[in-house]
Coordinates of all heavy atoms in Angstrom, one line a residue:
G7 N -0.9 -19.9 15.4 CA -1.0 -21.2 14.9 C -0.9 -21.3 13.4 O 0.0 -20.6 12.8
S8 N -1.7 -22.1 12.7 CA -1.6 -22.2 11.3 C -1.9 -20.9 10.5 O -1.6 -20.8 9.3 CB -2.5 -23.3 10.8 OG -3.9 -23.0 11.0
L9 N -2.6 -20.0 11.2 CA -2.8 -18.7 10.6 C -1.5 -17.9 10.3 O -1.5 -16.9 9.7 CB -3.8 -17.8 11.4 CG -5.2 -18.5 11.7 CD1 -6.1 -17.5 12.4 CD2 -5.8 -18.9 10.4
G10 N -0.4 -18.4 10.9 CA 0.9 -17.8 10.6 C 1.2 -17.8 9.1 O 2.1 -17.1 8.7
A11 N 0.5 -18.6 8.4 CA 0.7 -18.7 6.9 C 0.4 -17.3 6.3 O 1.1 -16.9 5.3 CB -0.3 -19.7 6.3
V12 N -0.5 -16.5 6.8 CA -0.8 -15.2 6.2 C 0.5 -14.3 6.3 O 0.6 -13.4 5.4 CB -2.0 -14.5 6.9 CG1 -3.2 -15.4 6.9 CG2 -1.6 -14.0 8.3
Q13 N 1.3 -14.5 7.3 CA 2.5 -13.7 7.4 C 3.5 -13.9 6.2 O 4.2 -13.0 5.8 CB 3.2 -13.9 8.7 CG 2.4 -13.5 9.9 CD 3.0 -13.9 11.2 OE1 3.8 -14.9 11.3 NE2 2.7 -13.3 12.3
V14 N 3.4 -15.1 5.6 CA 4.3 -15.4 4.4 C 3.8 -14.5 3.3 O 4.6 -13.9 2.5 CB 4.2 -16.9 4.1 CG1 5.1 -17.2 2.9 CG2 4.6 -17.7 5.3
G15 N 2.5 -14.5 3.0 CA 2.0 -13.6 2.0 C 2.3 -12.1 2.2 O 2.6 -11.4 1.3
M16 N 2.1 -11.7 3.5 CA 2.5 -10.3 3.8 C 3.9 -10.0 3.5 O 4.2 -9.0 2.9 CB 2.2 -10.1 5.3 CG 0.7 -10.1 5.7 SD 0.5 -10.0 7.5 CE -1.3 -9.9 7.6
L17 N 4.8 -10.9 3.9 CA 6.2 -10.7 3.7 C 6.5 -10.6 2.2 O 7.3 -9.8 1.7 CB 7.0 -11.9 4.2 CG 7.4 -11.9 5.7 CD1 8.1 -13.2 6.1 CD2 8.3 -10.7 6.0
Q18 N 5.9 -11.5 1.4 CA 6.1 -11.4 -0.1 C 5.8 -10.1 -0.6 O 6.6 -9.5 -1.4 CB 5.3 -12.5 -0.8 CG 5.8 -13.9 -0.6 CD 4.8 -14.9 -1.2 OE1 3.6 -14.7 -1.4 NE2 5.3 -16.1 -1.5
A19 N 4.7 -9.5 -0.2 CA 4.3 -8.2 -0.8 C 5.2 -7.1 -0.2 O 5.6 -6.2 -1.0 CB 2.9 -7.9 -0.4
L20 N 5.6 -7.1 1.0 CA 6.4 -6.1 1.6 C 7.8 -6.1 1.0 O 8.4 -5.1 0.7 CB 6.5 -6.3 3.1 CG 5.3 -6.0 3.9 CD1 5.3 -6.6 5.3 CD2 5.1 -4.5 4.0
V21 N 8.4 -7.3 0.9 CA 9.8 -7.4 0.4 C 9.8 -7.0 -1.1 O 10.8 -6.4 -1.6 CB 10.4 -8.8 0.7 CG1 11.8 -8.9 0.1 CG2 10.5 -9.1 2.2
E22 N 8.8 -7.4 -1.8 CA 8.7 -7.1 -3.3 C 8.7 -5.5 -3.4 O 9.3 -5.0 -4.3 CB 7.5 -7.7 -3.9 CG 7.6 -9.1 -4.4 CD 6.4 -9.6 -5.1 OE1 5.5 -8.7 -5.3 OE2 6.3 -10.7 -5.5
Y23 N 8.0 -4.9 -2.5 CA 7.9 -3.4 -2.5 C 9.2 -2.7 -2.1 O 9.3 -1.5 -2.3 CB 6.7 -3.0 -1.6 CG 6.3 -1.5 -1.8 CD1 5.7 -1.1 -3.0 CD2 6.6 -0.6 -0.8 CE1 5.3 0.2 -3.1 CE2 6.3 0.7 -1.0 CZ 5.6 1.1 -2.1 OH 5.3 2.5 -2.3
G24 N 10.1 -3.5 -1.5 CA 11.4 -2.9 -1.1 C 11.5 -2.6 0.4 O 12.4 -1.9 0.8
V25 N 10.5 -3.0 1.2 CA 10.6 -2.7 2.6 C 11.6 -3.7 3.3 O 11.6 -4.9 3.1 CB 9.2 -2.9 3.3 CG1 9.3 -2.6 4.8 CG2 8.2 -2.1 2.6
A26 N 12.5 -3.1 4.0 CA 13.6 -3.9 4.7 C 13.5 -3.8 6.2 O 13.0 -2.8 6.7 CB 15.0 -3.5 4.2
A27 N 14.0 -4.8 6.9 CA 13.9 -4.8 8.3 C 15.4 -4.7 8.9 O 16.3 -5.3 8.4 CB 13.3 -6.1 8.8
D28 N 15.5 -3.9 10.0 CA 16.8 -3.9 10.7 C 16.8 -4.9 11.8 O 17.9 -5.2 12.3 CB 17.0 -2.5 11.3 CG 17.0 -1.4 10.2 OD1 17.9 -1.5 9.3 OD2 16.2 -0.5 10.2
M29 N 15.6 -5.4 12.2 CA 15.5 -6.4 13.2 C 14.2 -7.1 13.1 O 13.3 -6.6 12.4 CB 15.7 -5.8 14.6 CG 14.5 -5.0 15.1 SD 14.5 -4.5 16.8 CE 15.6 -3.2 16.7
V30 N 14.1 -8.3 13.7 CA 12.9 -9.1 13.7 C 12.5 -9.4 15.2 O 13.4 -9.8 16.0 CB 13.1 -10.4 12.9 CG1 12.0 -11.4 13.2 CG2 13.2 -10.0 11.4
V31 N 11.2 -9.3 15.5 CA 10.8 -9.7 16.8 C 9.5 -10.6 16.6 O 8.6 -10.3 15.8 CB 10.3 -8.5 17.7 CG1 9.9 -9.0 19.1 CG2 11.5 -7.5 17.8
G32 N 9.5 -11.8 17.2 CA 8.4 -12.8 17.0 C 8.0 -13.5 18.2 O 8.8 -13.7 19.1
S33 N 6.7 -13.8 18.2 CA 6.1 -14.5 19.4 C 5.3 -15.7 18.8 O 4.6 -15.6 17.8 CB 5.3 -13.6 20.2 OG 4.7 -14.2 21.3
S34 N 5.4 -16.8 19.5 CA 4.6 -18.0 19.2 C 4.9 -18.4 17.7 O 6.1 -18.5 17.4 CB 3.1 -17.7 19.4 OG 2.4 -18.9 19.5
V35 N 3.9 -18.6 16.9 CA 4.2 -19.0 15.5 C 5.0 -17.9 14.8 O 5.8 -18.2 13.9 CB 3.0 -19.4 14.7 CG1 2.2 -18.2 14.3 CG2 3.3 -20.2 13.4
G36 N 4.8 -16.7 15.2 CA 5.6 -15.6 14.7 C 7.1 -15.7 14.9 O 7.9 -15.2 14.2
S37 N 7.5 -16.5 16.0 CA 8.9 -16.8 16.2 C 9.5 -17.6 15.1 O 10.6 -17.5 14.7 CB 9.1 -17.4 17.6 OG 8.7 -18.8 17.6
I38 N 8.7 -18.5 14.6 CA 9.1 -19.4 13.5 C 9.4 -18.6 12.2 O 10.4 -18.6 11.6 CB 8.1 -20.5 13.2 CG1 8.0 -21.4 14.4 CG2 8.6 -21.4 12.0 CD1 6.9 -22.5 14.3
N39 N 8.3 -17.8 11.8 CA 8.5 -17.0 10.6 C 9.5 -15.9 10.8 O 10.3 -15.7 9.8 CB 7.1 -16.3 10.3 CG 6.1 -17.3 9.8 OD1 6.5 -18.4 9.2 ND2 4.8 -17.1 9.9
G40 N 9.6 -15.3 11.9 CA 10.5 -14.2 12.2 C 12.0 -14.7 12.2 O 12.8 -14.1 11.6
A41 N 12.2 -15.9 12.8 CA 13.5 -16.4 12.9 C 14.0 -16.9 11.5 O 15.2 -16.7 11.1 CB 13.6 -17.6 13.8
Y42 N 13.1 -17.4 10.7 CA 13.5 -17.8 9.4 C 13.8 -16.6 8.5 O 14.8 -16.6 7.8 CB 12.4 -18.7 8.7 CG 12.9 -19.2 7.4 CD1 13.5 -20.4 7.3 CD2 12.7 -18.5 6.2 CE1 14.0 -20.9 6.1 CE2 13.2 -18.9 5.0 CZ 13.9 -20.1 4.9 OH 14.4 -20.5 3.7
F43 N 13.0 -15.6 8.6 CA 13.2 -14.4 7.8 C 14.5 -13.7 8.2 O 15.2 -13.2 7.3 CB 12.0 -13.4 7.9 CG 12.2 -12.2 7.1 CD1 12.0 -12.2 5.7 CD2 12.5 -11.0 7.7 CE1 12.2 -11.1 4.9 CE2 12.6 -9.8 6.9 CZ 12.5 -9.9 5.5
A44 N 14.8 -13.7 9.5 CA 16.1 -13.1 9.9 C 17.3 -13.8 9.4 O 18.3 -13.2 9.2 CB 16.1 -13.1 11.5

């Protein structure tokens, strides 16, 4: 649900550090964040 907001902060820190994804998998609100990031 709305706690999906924490994933945005996590992404900011991970991408700043240089972590890259070869694929994205998401469920429920994670599908929104995952699809956007992809």
Side-chain angles (χ1 to χ4, degrees):
S8 65
L9 300 184
V12 306
Q13 294 172 339
V14 181
M16 292 172 174
L17 276 176
Q18 288 175 335
L20 287 165
V21 176
E22 276 185 6
Y23 190 71
V25 183
D28 299 302
M29 73 171 77
V30 164
V31 184
S33 182
S34 199
V35 74
S37 72
I38 298 176
N39 288 334
Y42 186 88
F43 182 72

